[in-house]
């Protein structure tokens, strides 16, 4: 076995093993992460492009692992989706985001929209609507202040059912946004049946907006599509003033991104709402 190191075999298994044990660590750790208070939400502000008015926040999940440090949701959400833990995890996210909204409401701060990411696995679960209805009732947050961010993958397995679930969520009065728009497989004919409020223009189109004419064309097409369907548009991943100006000129309604504001802790977001913190 010692010899194996020379031909790279041992290195390979060691790397495989460490990747596997990281996965196991994450998978096992995730179940306790909630009760051990290792999870938190950060809130990234969203602004109108016409007058740079703060309209809301997107809640983004963070996990501080005791041994591995900060883990990206891009890494642990797929694990939670696979092992079913996404349901309690998603409920924790919804409850925490709505409790924050309720706190702001009690402080008399201006009403804002709270965007919450919902995985396709959660969306498929028959309990989601009831879960949201109960959480809204418990926190007394008006339904119109909650926006669920769905990706186009929700439509892939069963479009009929997706439309039905969306109608049910719509009846509650909450908003629905299509996240990462333009990167998935949505059929345009479904788009008009989905009762969406907003399309979120994926950051991959925004990144090279100033130098790539094709990206500009795609964004322009998304904006006019949204207009024709009566939907709002919000661009993600805006990192410079130039991108912001271009998006404004193109008629995009809202934006979020590092140039406008990084994801903030609850305390920082509160200061922003109080006007004590500049954008
Ligand atoms: P997403 O929903 O597309 O969220 C946007 C991601 O872009 C976030 O990464 C955000 O921090 C990052 N971002 C924001 N502004 C900029 C910018 O100007 N430039 C760049 N390069 N990036 C920017 P984050 O927080 O690491 O989240 C990654 C993904 O994990 C999210 O992508 C979302 O799909 C998922 N996720 C996060 N929180 C949750 C959650 O509570 N539930 C579920 N199901 N998924 C979540
Ligand atoms: Ca999102
Ligand atoms: Ca996105
Ligand atoms: Ca994304």
């Amino acid at each position: 076995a010692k010899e194996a190191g020379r031909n790279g075999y041992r290195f390979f298994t060691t790397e495989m093993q460490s990747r596997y044990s990281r996965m196991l660590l994450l998978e096992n750790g995730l179940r306790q992460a909630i009760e051990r208070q290792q999870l938190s939400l950060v809130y990234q502000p969203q602004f109108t492009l016409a007058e740079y008015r703060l309209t809301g926040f997107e809640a983004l999940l963070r996990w501080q692992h005791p041994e591995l440090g900060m883990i990206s949701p891009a890494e642990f959400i797929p694990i939670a989706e696979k092992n079913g833990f996404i349901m309690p995890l998603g409920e924790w996210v919804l409850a925490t985001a709505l409790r924050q909204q309720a706190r702001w409401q009690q402080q008399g701060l201006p009403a804002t929209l709270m965007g919450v990411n919902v995985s396709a696995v959660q969306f498929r679960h028959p309990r989601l609507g009831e879960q949201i209805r109960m959480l809204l009732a418990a926190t007394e947050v008006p339904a119109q202040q909650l926006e669920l961010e769905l990706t186009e993958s929700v439509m892939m397995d069963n479009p009929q059912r997706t439309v039905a679930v969306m109608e049910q969520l719509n009846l509650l009065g909450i908003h629905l946004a299509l996240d990462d728009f333009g990167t998935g497989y949505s059929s345009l004919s479904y788009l008009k049946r989905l009762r969406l409020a907003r399309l979120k223009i994926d950051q991959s189109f925004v990144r090279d907006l100033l130098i790539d004419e094709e990206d500009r064309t795609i964004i322009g097409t998304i904006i006019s599509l949204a207009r024709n369907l009566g939907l709002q548009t919000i661009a993600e991943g805006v990192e410079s003033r130039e991108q912001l100006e271009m998006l404004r000129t193109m008629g995009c309604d809202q934006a979020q991104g590092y140039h406008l504001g990084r994801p903030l802790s609850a305390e920082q977001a509160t200061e922003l709402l109080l006007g004590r913190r500049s954008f």
Side-chain angles (χ1 to χ4, degrees):
K2 268 184 196 161
E3 310 289 281
R6 274 183 222 142
N7 58 24
Y9 175 73
R10 197 169 144 204
F11 169 76
F12 181 68
T13 52
T14 309
E15 202 206 88
M16 291 263 295
Q17 191 156 14
S18 75
R19 211 181 304 157
Y20 183 65
S21 56
R22 179 180 170 91
M23 238 268 290
L24 276 185
L25 259 172
L26 293 182
E27 176 153 14
N28 294 332
L30 208 46
R31 297 181 186 281
Q32 291 136 13
I34 293 179
E35 54 196 72
R36 295 192 179 162
Q37 299 184 317
Q38 294 162 359
L39 299 178
S40 59
L41 293 183
V42 287
Y43 303 93
Q44 187 172 34
Q46 302 177 332
F47 299 89
T48 62
L49 284 176
E51 47 199 358
Y52 299 129
R53 192 166 49 82
L54 175 73
T55 55
F57 295 93
E58 176 177 5
L60 295 160
L61 189 53
R62 296 290 176 264
W63 180 15
Q64 181 68 49
H65 190 282
E67 291 145 68
L68 303 171
M70 197 60 101
I71 316 288
S72 164
E75 185 177 7
F76 68 83
I77 293 286
I79 298 176
E81 285 178 331
K82 240 175 256 154
N83 69 15
F85 194 66
I86 192 69
M87 283 313 286
L89 189 62
E91 185 168 23
W92 183 88
V93 170
L94 278 161
T96 306
L98 287 173
R99 261 188 249 120
Q100 187 58 58
Q101 284 280 69
R103 225 169 282 139
W104 287 335
Q105 195 170 289
Q106 284 152 16
Q107 292 174 256
L109 292 168
T112 49
L113 198 66
M114 179 68 83
V116 176
N117 292 286
V118 170
S119 124
V121 177
Q122 271 173 285
F123 193 81
R124 240 176 266 139
H125 201 284
R127 243 180 55 98
L128 182 68
E130 183 57 14
Q131 199 177 71
I132 290 172
R133 200 186 59 74
M134 303 263 290
L135 289 170
L136 286 170
T139 55
E140 295 180 28
V141 171
Q144 311 82 261
Q145 286 180 31
L146 175 64
E147 179 172 77
L148 301 187
E149 296 193 3
L150 313 164
T151 56
E152 293 163 88
S153 58
V154 298
M155 275 179 285
M156 279 177 57
D157 43 13
N158 190 344
Q160 301 291 338
R161 192 179 129 64
T162 300
V163 172
V165 175
M166 282 185 166
E167 274 166 10
Q168 183 206 346
L169 293 170
N170 252 293
L171 285 176
L172 292 175
I174 63 182
H175 293 258
L176 301 173
L178 208 47
D179 205 354
D180 305 341
F181 188 71
T183 61
Y185 310 82
S186 47
S187 128
L188 295 182
S189 67
Y190 272 109
L191 212 50
K192 67 172 188 203
R193 298 181 48 198
L194 290 182
R195 297 170 177 260
L196 296 160
R198 290 206 282 187
L199 296 182
K200 297 198 77 175
I201 301 171
D202 192 65
Q203 56 188 53
S204 62
F205 304 120
V206 175
R207 192 177 308 125
D208 298 326
L209 169 66
L210 299 163
I211 49 172
D212 190 327
E213 205 183 314
E214 284 168 3
D215 285 337
R216 227 157 33 233
T217 303
I218 291 170
I219 292 179
T221 306
I222 294 174
I223 292 171
S224 68
L225 175 71
R227 280 232 178 102
N228 290 328
L229 294 173
L231 309 176
Q232 296 266 306
T233 45
I234 176 165
E236 299 188 278
V238 177
E239 295 184 351
S240 73
R241 194 176 56 80
E242 291 77 15
Q243 289 171 337
L244 197 68
E245 285 310 319
M246 177 65 80
L247 287 161
R248 200 229 297 254
T249 307
M250 293 177 78
C252 185
D253 298 306
Q254 287 131 24
Q256 92 186 65
Y258 296 162
H259 176 69
L260 290 159
R262 300 227 161 214
L264 304 170
S265 68
E267 293 72 29
Q268 292 171 324
T270 305
E271 284 182 18
L272 186 64
L273 284 170
L274 284 165
R276 290 193 198 137
R277 190 192 172 87
S278 59
F279 301 158

